């Protein structure tokens, strides 16, 4: 038996199945392919024992459900004409095969539709989350900038410096948020490039603390470093993002006055956080 898969109205992958204990017979691929293409196009039998492509070695039938053709099957029947009962049994078998392919296709389409719907829901949730995360620092930046524009001449230097620092901190927070999104996109597209260097883990944790400290108004953050001289190989910028994201989640999703602890220690040749 020879089977051509069909995709987008064209023949694609070819499969051959020899009879038990026998080698697959030799055949003219060009002739057989032409016969199979005709069957695919006209949805009608052809090949050996017929008037169409009678020089073919195989007798070809379409694997189809109504007008949808999933492939073309060729059977090495030699010059032996099938009687009516044999032909009916063959058509029944092919009909069952085509129905199985139809069911599989329907299942795949349903799964794809469900995945698409879930993806769209995740996208909507992500946009809502991003909008919320953007609004908070933008409101702070615009408010502080408005105060400086309207009342800057009435503020002392200490107050101005505090407003400048708040604007800078919120701006850096926005930059890190955008970097998070870009990193996620690069990972999905397989374009993430790691810039690995050797760094002190305590320096990485200190950067996380500085980044997260402004959000800790109602939480307590504690750092427990078993060893201040742990050297790690990492992409500093990305690992800071990872740890900061975890701390952000802890701040967002735990009750006020909760305690958050970052612990670092070594296990064998690895650093654990």
């Amino acid at each position: 038996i020879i089977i051509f898969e069909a995709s987008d109205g064209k023949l694609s992958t070819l499969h051959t199945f020899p009879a038990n204990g026998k080698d697959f017979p030799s055949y003219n691929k060009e002739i057989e392919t032409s016969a199979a293409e005709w069957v695919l196009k006209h949805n009608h039998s052809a090949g050996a024992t017929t008037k169409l492509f009678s020089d073919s070695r195989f007798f070809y039938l379409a694997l189809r459900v109504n007008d949808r053709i999933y492939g073309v099957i060729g059977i090495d029947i030699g010059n032996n004409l099938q009687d009516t009962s044999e032909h009916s049994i063959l058509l029944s078998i092919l009909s069952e095969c085509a129905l199985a392919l139809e069911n599989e296709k329907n299942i795949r389409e349903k799964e794809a539709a469900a995945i698409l719907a879930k993806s769209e829901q995740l996208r909507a949730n992500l946009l809502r989350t991003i909008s919320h995360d953007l609004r908070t620092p933008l409101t702070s930046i615009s408010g502080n900038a408005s105060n400086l524009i309207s009342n800057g001449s009435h503020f002392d230097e200490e107050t101005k410096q505090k407003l400048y620092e708040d604007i800078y901190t919120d701006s850096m927070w926005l930059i890190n948020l955008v970097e998070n999104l870009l990193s996620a996109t690069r990972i999905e597209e397989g374009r993430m490039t790691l810039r690995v260097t050797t760094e002190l883990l305590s320096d990485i944790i200190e950067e996380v603390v500085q980044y997260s400290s402004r959000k800790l108004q109602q939480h307590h953050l504690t750092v427990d470093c078993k060893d201040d001289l742990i050297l790690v190989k990492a992409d500093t910028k990305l690992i800071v993002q990872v740890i900061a994201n975890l701390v952000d989640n802890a701040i967002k999703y735990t009750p006020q006055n909760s305690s958050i602890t970052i612990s670092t220690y070594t296990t064998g040749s690895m650093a654990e956080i």
Side-chain angles (χ1 to χ4, degrees):
I1 292 173
I2 189 170
I3 297 177
F4 292 88
E5 290 184 31
S7 176
D8 298 325
K10 297 180 180 179
L11 298 180
S12 55
T13 308
L14 171 66
H15 306 274
T16 57
F17 301 91
N20 290 336
K22 297 182 179 180
D23 295 328
F24 199 83
S26 60
Y27 62 93
N28 186 311
K29 187 174 182 179
E30 184 177 346
I31 293 175
E32 305 304 330
T33 301
S34 296
E37 287 176 342
W38 189 92
V39 172
L40 177 65
K41 183 177 180 180
H42 296 88
N43 195 6
H44 195 281
S45 60
T49 72
T50 73
K51 294 180 181 180
L52 295 167
F53 300 95
S54 57
D55 54 345
S56 299
R57 183 180 184 101
F58 300 90
F59 171 64
Y60 288 98
L61 289 163
L63 277 168
R64 62 188 175 92
V65 175
N66 298 323
D67 292 330
R68 185 189 297 277
I69 300 179
Y70 288 96
V72 176
I73 183 169
I75 305 172
D76 184 19
I77 62 174
N79 296 318
N80 301 316
L81 290 172
Q82 297 174 341
D83 60 33
T84 303
S85 63
E86 287 176 333
H87 191 69
S88 296
I89 291 172
L90 177 59
L91 292 179
S92 296
I93 292 172
L94 295 184
S95 177
E96 290 296 323
C97 291
L99 283 173
L101 291 170
E102 178 85 354
N103 291 336
E104 184 182 358
K105 173 181 173 293
N106 290 338
I107 290 171
R108 286 201 305 267
E109 287 179 348
K110 288 180 181 178
E111 290 176 346
I115 291 172
L116 180 60
K118 185 175 182 181
S119 176
E120 290 300 324
Q121 183 62 49
L122 289 172
R123 190 187 304 275
N125 292 342
L126 178 61
L127 287 174
R128 279 194 292 269
T129 301
I130 292 172
S131 298
H132 178 270
D133 287 348
L134 288 173
R135 189 179 295 114
T136 302
L138 285 173
T139 300
S140 176
I141 290 171
S142 61
N144 288 332
S146 177
N147 277 333
L148 286 169
I149 292 171
S150 303
N151 305 307
S153 59
H154 303 295
F155 294 151
D156 57 33
E157 284 303 314
E158 184 179 352
T159 301
K160 288 182 180 179
Q161 188 63 31
K162 180 64 170 62
L163 292 174
Y164 295 146
E165 289 176 358
D166 287 346
I167 290 174
Y168 175 78
T169 301
D170 286 321
S171 299
M172 293 306 297
W173 190 94
L174 286 173
I175 290 172
N176 286 328
L177 175 61
V178 173
E179 286 295 329
N180 264 332
L181 296 173
L182 291 175
S183 295
T185 301
R186 293 188 193 104
I187 290 172
E188 287 183 350
E189 296 177 353
R191 298 188 295 108
M192 174 62 74
T193 301
L194 298 179
R195 295 176 176 83
V196 178
T197 56
T198 301
E199 304 286 344
L200 276 171
L201 183 54
S202 58
D203 289 346
I204 293 174
I205 300 302
E206 182 179 348
E207 188 172 344
V208 172
V209 172
Q210 290 177 352
Y211 168 77
S212 303
S213 59
R214 59 180 295 274
K215 303 180 181 181
L216 290 168
Q217 299 170 357
Q218 304 295 334
H219 290 75
H220 309 288
L221 180 62
T222 304
V223 176
D224 180 16
C225 292
K226 305 296 184 185
D227 185 350
D228 290 335
L229 298 177
I230 300 176
L231 287 172
V232 295
K233 291 182 179 179
D235 186 315
T236 305
K237 186 176 181 181
L238 291 180
I239 205 67
V240 166
Q241 282 183 251
V242 171
I243 303 170
N245 288 344
L246 294 173
V247 174
D248 285 349
N249 285 342
I251 294 170
K252 286 180 182 178
Y253 303 114
T254 57
Q256 293 183 0
N257 298 316
S258 294
S259 295
I260 302 167
T261 303
I262 303 176
S263 300
T264 65
Y265 46 90
T266 56
T267 302
S269 62
M270 303 298 290
E272 294 198 16
I273 304 169

